[in-house]
Amino acid sequence: MGKSVLIVGGGIVGLSCAYYLHKEGHEVTVIDKSGMDGGASYVNAGYLTPSHIIPLASPGMMAKGIKWMFNSSSPFYMKPRLDDNFLRWAWAFNRSSTRAHVEKAIPLIREINVLSKDLYIQMHGSGELGDFHLEKKGLLMLYKTRKEGQHEKEVARRASDEGLEVTELTRNELDRLQPGLSPEIEGAVHYLCDAHTSPNEIMDRLKMYLRVQGVVILQDEEVIGFTRKNRRITGTLTSRATYTTDEVVLAGGAWTSGLLQNLGIKLLLQAGKGYRINVPRPLGIHLPAILMEAKVAVTPMRDFTRFAGTMEFSGINHRIRSERVEAIARAAQAYYTDLEIRADEKQAAKCGLRPVSPDGLPYIGKTSHLENLTIATGHAMMGWSLGPATGKLVSEVISDLPLSMPLDGFHPERRF
């Protein structure tokens, strides 16, 4: 028998939860405090990335954060601030940035990414959302320096050991695949296992499909609290009404930890701001790529090319730092010959807040505190890639079905 389920959060994770819960016969309502037309699910690079097997929390990352702390245009920026939640998160992030953690995380990240990519492909093949943009051209990792090249080749070898399709390219091989690259680029690693999409297109079609299927989607309505009795949530209070449902899913992205505080649950989570610039002109860029030294993502999407990047920890805000936008534009122009990003295109840049856990792995599953609460957040830079897998797993948890993969490594109450 189906349950009534309220999903808090209308990004790719929340909508994916709605998609799979509806398929299992549940009565689903999605609620979001925004107009559901912006944020991390709309400004990301659109990658489906089995290749991204290394978590953000890895050796050397905290040192980079400290080194770049006073450079607000750096790729990885932590704004100095005396905030208890941030300091506890930073301490846990540092403790997680070990080789042992990376080795433990790699198979988990690989498995959930492969599962999610397969689900995107199934969704595309079903025709339920129409013929949305999904291309399986892989992902180029472009490097200018021997240091970055050697590092990525080591990752590529590990990815190959994990069964992922990857190849190393010489400069001549690279030029045949993607003309117009800077002569400073030495070569690339090509992750053939990856794919790319146009996020806005999928988000709009997913919302339309869900509404047609009878899923209730409530926009511009903020959750302000909960009522509870014993070990169950009995009501979800919003700025407009109170909802009583059998199950509650918190998929509120960077805002999830704040929502959990209303329930007396502490979840270490920080907002990692990312930026994007869209260029709606033909640029001759055919393959998605990451510009290694600059940590900038380049994606040829439907009718435009997107340049995205940075991880900025400065709290929950949507302030656009012009120096960060300029850094993305400069990097792109340094890797592609004859590329110029115009002032109006930079002026139209947007940002989104990714929810980042201390160990770089998502939080998926129930807690010991409340038996009808499921958490789905903390995906860091892989939120878009992992949306469908998270939705599928959440639907299996709530429906008491066999899990597509074990969730122990993603448990919301794991220790750091």
Side-chain angles (χ1 to χ4, degrees), residues 172-388:
N172 288 337
E173 292 170 330
L174 180 58
D175 285 335
R176 287 195 291 270
L177 283 174
Q178 177 60 71
L181 292 171
S182 165
E184 295 179 357
I185 296 172
E186 288 193 0
V189 170
H190 191 192
Y191 289 100
L192 298 160
C193 53
D194 289 5
H196 70 283
T197 60
S198 296
N200 294 54
E201 180 184 66
I202 294 177
M203 290 295 290
D204 290 344
R205 292 184 182 211
L206 193 49
K207 285 182 290 187
M208 185 181 302
Y209 169 80
L210 291 172
R211 286 189 170 108
V212 169
Q213 294 299 311
V215 172
V216 177
I217 299 179
L218 304 172
Q219 301 172 188
D220 299 310
E221 188 168 349
E222 184 174 4
V223 173
I224 57 177
F226 303 90
T227 57
R228 56 186 290 181
K229 185 176 182 181
N230 298 325
R231 295 182 60 247
R232 293 187 65 83
I233 294 175
T234 55
T236 302
L237 287 62
T238 77
S239 52
R240 296 180 183 174
T242 298
Y243 300 90
T244 302
T245 55
D246 298 322
E247 298 278 346
V248 175
V249 178
L250 288 189
W255 289 266
T256 306
S257 57
L259 292 168
L260 285 168
Q261 286 180 3
N262 292 311
L263 293 165
I265 299 173
K266 292 183 179 180
L267 191 77
L268 291 179
L269 196 72
Q270 285 294 308
K273 188 188 297 181
Y275 294 75
R276 70 92 175 124
I277 303 170
N278 288 346
V279 177
R281 297 176 280 117
L283 297 178
I285 296 175
H286 311 301
L287 292 177
I290 291 181
L291 318 181
M292 293 291 297
E293 287 79 10
K295 305 297 185 285
V296 168
V298 182
T299 315
M301 296 187 179
R302 183 99 79 178
D303 300 325
F304 62 92
T305 301
R306 173 165 292 176
F307 301 89
T310 80
M311 178 64 83
E312 174 188 324
F313 293 103
S314 60
I316 293 183
N317 67 81
H318 286 91
R319 177 188 170 192
I320 301 289
R321 291 179 176 268
S322 60
E323 66 270 30
R324 300 188 74 74
V325 176
E326 289 291 342
I328 292 171
R330 283 197 306 270
Q333 292 166 173
Y335 279 75
Y336 295 91
T337 59
D338 302 323
L339 170 63
E340 181 181 2
I341 298 178
R342 299 192 307 233
D344 60 315
E345 292 161 343
K346 288 182 283 189
Q347 187 65 33
K350 301 290 184 183
C351 70
L353 302 178
R354 316 175 188 97
V356 185
S357 69
D359 61 0
L361 298 176
Y363 295 115
I364 307 172
K366 290 184 175 290
T367 74
S368 60
H369 301 79
L370 294 161
E371 60 187 29
N372 65 337
L373 170 68
T374 304
I375 296 172
T377 189
H379 297 75
M381 294 179 291
M382 293 182 287
W384 182 258
S385 185
L386 300 184

Side-chain angles (χ1 to χ4, degrees), residues 53-69:
I53 57 174
I54 307 299
L56 182 64
S58 58
M61 284 305 295
M62 181 55 75
K64 288 181 180 178
I66 294 172
K67 174 184 175 182
W68 288 332
M69 189 171 283

Side-chain angles (χ1 to χ4, degrees), residues 68-123:
W68 288 332
M69 189 171 283
F70 299 100
N71 179 5
S72 61
S73 65
S74 61
F76 183 70
Y77 172 60
M78 293 184 177
K79 180 182 179 181
R81 61 192 191 279
L82 292 176
D83 174 84
D84 182 59
N85 290 329
F86 173 71
L87 294 174
R88 287 190 295 113
W89 177 91
W91 176 255
F93 181 90
N94 188 51
R95 285 176 55 87
S96 299
S97 298
T98 65
R99 291 190 181 279
H101 164 64
V102 170
E103 288 302 314
K104 185 178 179 180
I106 283 174
L108 296 175
I109 298 174
R110 177 210 172 277
E111 186 173 0
I112 193 171
N113 259 299
V114 170
L115 170 63
S116 210
K117 179 188 171 185
D118 289 345
L119 292 172
Y120 266 113
I121 291 170
Q122 289 174 23
M123 197 182 296

